[in-house]
Amino acid sequence: MIKKQASCNDEFDPDSLSFEQALARIKESIQPIKGKKNVTIREAAGHILAEDVTSPLNVPPFINSAMDGYAINASDIPSSTGDTELKVIGKSFAGKPFDGKINSGETVRIMTGAVVPNGADTVIMQEHAEVKGSYIKISSEHKAKQNVRNPGDDFFIGDTIIKAGERLSPAKLGLLASVGITEFKVIRKPVVAFFSTGDELKGVGQHLEPGDIYDSNRYILFGMLEKMGVECIDMGVVPDIKEEIELTLKEAANIADLVITSGGASVGEADFIKIILDEIGEVGFWKIAMKPGKPLAFGHINDTVFFGLPGNPVSAMATFYQFVQPSLRLLEGESISAPVKLQARCISKLKKRPGRTDFQRGIMSSDSNGQLIVDTTGIQGSHMLSSMAKANCFIVLTRDAGDIEEGETVEVQPFNELI
Ligand code: AMP
Ligand code: MG
């Protein structure tokens, strides 16, 4: 009888780590890069701030109006009954303050964002004021200090407005601009080198010989890395020759913070990635109980983080998404939290064998009641990129789960902009 060895298709492989264990090991072993650089506000989008930023200003810097209307002193609001007439003595527009003072019985026409003049502390919406020549009439139905924005409402001088380690989103760039800060220190972007391995692979534009296929993974990786805003170096296709892969890998590890290969990560005769990593670096793990993506080599070559992704394009994408993406964030020193998952009603039957965590490709949408539903993209072959291209989420099925019947609730992980 033939003695069987653990294979890539086995659902229960005693040597493979669970998805969660793999992620935990990655988190433990990645050290943030130290390099910082000065950037101007226009260069800063997407970078991680390297130092806390404190505000040199109160924001808002002065008391200003939240409405178009009339600035008054609250003591002029009539008591429970009756109306009051106030004389309009001037205007305060945004950027053009009224430079006098308001006395009792007086008001100033004011616009949103304009300084509330001396002597005033309250704004009456223009819709609530009856204009009579150079007077306005107001009722008793107003509250003292309404419709004004006070200095420091948002934050005060000296408050930390963004902490080191936070990613500079457009809102945060706006926040920095709002206090007049135009230059600051950020963490430099990680450098990522990648190449494909496989005798059968041709770059687009090359002639295909019998048995050849086009290399999709480098284009996928390029797209995803670009979206992550890292500096990427495409090192091409390397044939399944151990010495050549080893040489390219060493060169890549010398120039990059993180190296990604695809293909050759399994146990076939032309699969050298794990063997080479063992020789020139350290293997963290190389098999994960997930589908797609079981043969995934992770480790280090000196200080460089290494991922040997599976060759099948869907597996390469899924493992990049689940593991390389958080690793790059960790390299930049960002703290990462578990991805958002939602509950959805599955509207088709899903095949699943217990043993591995499945990341099936799904299309989520709302039904006519506004409830989240998810459909499968169809056959789940890890060589079938069209199913990934159609999908907008992963349907995440836990390791122990079996087949899913139509109508069951499942967990979905919506794709972010990377896919
Ligand atoms: P491997 O991991 O090298 O055993 O490859 C597994 C499968 O993925 C094989 O069918 C390969 O031809 C295919 N494959 C490997 N690398 C690529 C690539 N860069 N683009 C498209 N398919 C690939
Ligand atoms: Mg191969």
Side-chain angles (χ1 to χ4, degrees), residues 196-198 200-201 213-218 240 262-266 270-271 295 309-313 383:
S196 297
T197 68
E200 75 281 31
L201 302 176
I213 57 169
Y214 287 120
D215 174 2
S216 344
N217 291 349
R218 277 188 305 131
D240 290 313
S262 75
S266 193
D271 294 330
L309 306 185
N312 275 311
H383 59 301

Side-chain angles (χ1 to χ4, degrees), residues 11-266:
E11 298 307 327
F12 286 104
D13 175 351
D15 294 339
S16 62
L17 286 185
S18 72
F19 175 76
E20 295 76 15
Q21 282 169 325
L23 205 54
R25 266 206 212 170
I26 289 173
K27 279 189 194 169
E28 272 163 27
S29 69
I30 291 187
Q31 299 302 319
I33 51 181
K34 300 254 164 23
K36 297 174 187 174
K37 60 175 187 177
N38 287 313
V39 288
T40 62
I41 195 160
R42 284 189 189 276
E43 301 160 337
H47 283 79
I48 298 286
L49 195 64
E51 295 170 345
D52 289 359
V53 169
T54 56
S55 177
L57 299 176
N58 291 326
V59 172
F62 47 82
I63 179 170
N64 70 91
S65 180
M67 297 282 173
D68 293 341
Y70 294 88
I72 66 160
N73 188 286
S75 61
D76 279 339
I77 300 172
S79 55
S80 54
T81 50
D83 299 338
T84 294
E85 287 195 355
L86 301 171
K87 185 170 171 46
V88 182
I89 61 163
K91 297 180 200 169
S92 182
F93 284 11
K96 295 199 180 77
F98 174 75
D99 58 8
K101 181 173 184 287
I102 293 181
N103 295 305
S104 182
E106 294 175 345
T107 183
V108 154
R109 178 86 173 111
I110 195 164
M111 296 297 153
T112 305
V115 179
V116 174
N118 270 337
D121 58 5
T122 301
V123 169
I124 307 292
M125 272 170 80
Q126 64 188 22
E127 292 82 352
H128 296 164
E130 194 184 318
V131 181
K132 296 173 75 188
S134 61
Y135 284 82
I136 59 162
K137 200 156 102 177
I138 62 167
S139 73
S140 60
E141 285 161 10
H142 297 287
K143 288 204 180 74
K145 308 205 169 168
Q146 70 184 14
N147 301 328
V148 301
R149 304 159 171 167
N150 290 299
D153 259 359
D154 202 357
F155 47 84
F156 290 105
I157 290 182
D159 283 354
T160 300
I161 51 170
I162 310 179
K163 290 210 177 84
E166 290 185 40
R167 195 174 291 278
L168 292 170
S169 61
K172 286 174 183 162
L173 294 180
L175 190 56
L176 291 163
S178 75
V179 298
I181 295 179
T182 55
E183 265 189 65
F184 31 84
K185 274 202 163 54
V186 295
I187 302 293
R188 73 165 171 83
K189 285 288 182 184
V191 178
V192 180
F194 59 97
F195 58 94
S196 297
T197 68
D199 288 338
E200 75 281 31
L201 302 176
K202 289 282 167 8
V204 291
Q206 280 182 293
H207 178 70
L208 293 184
E209 299 292 341
D212 286 351
I213 57 169
Y214 287 120
D215 174 2
S216 344
N217 291 349
R218 277 188 305 131
Y219 304 92
I220 292 170
L221 290 176
F222 178 77
M224 293 174 102
L225 291 165
E226 278 277 294
K227 286 232 166 133
M228 291 204 72
V230 300
E231 209 178 295
C232 53
I233 303 171
D234 182 346
M235 301 186 70
V237 177
V238 180
D240 290 313
I241 301 170
K242 185 168 175 268
E243 294 68 30
E244 279 201 39
I245 297 174
E246 184 172 331
L247 209 68
T248 316
L249 208 46
K250 281 182 176 163
E251 194 186 327
N254 277 335
I255 54 175
D257 300 298
L258 187 141
V259 172
I260 305 170
T261 62
S262 75
S266 193

Side-chain angles (χ1 to χ4, degrees), residues 365-385:
S365 58
S366 299
D367 67 10
S368 53
N369 299 318
Q371 299 294 310
L372 196 63
I373 54 174
V374 67
D375 197 1
T376 177
T377 53
I379 305 167
Q380 296 288 307
S382 56
H383 59 301
M384 293 164 64
L385 259 184

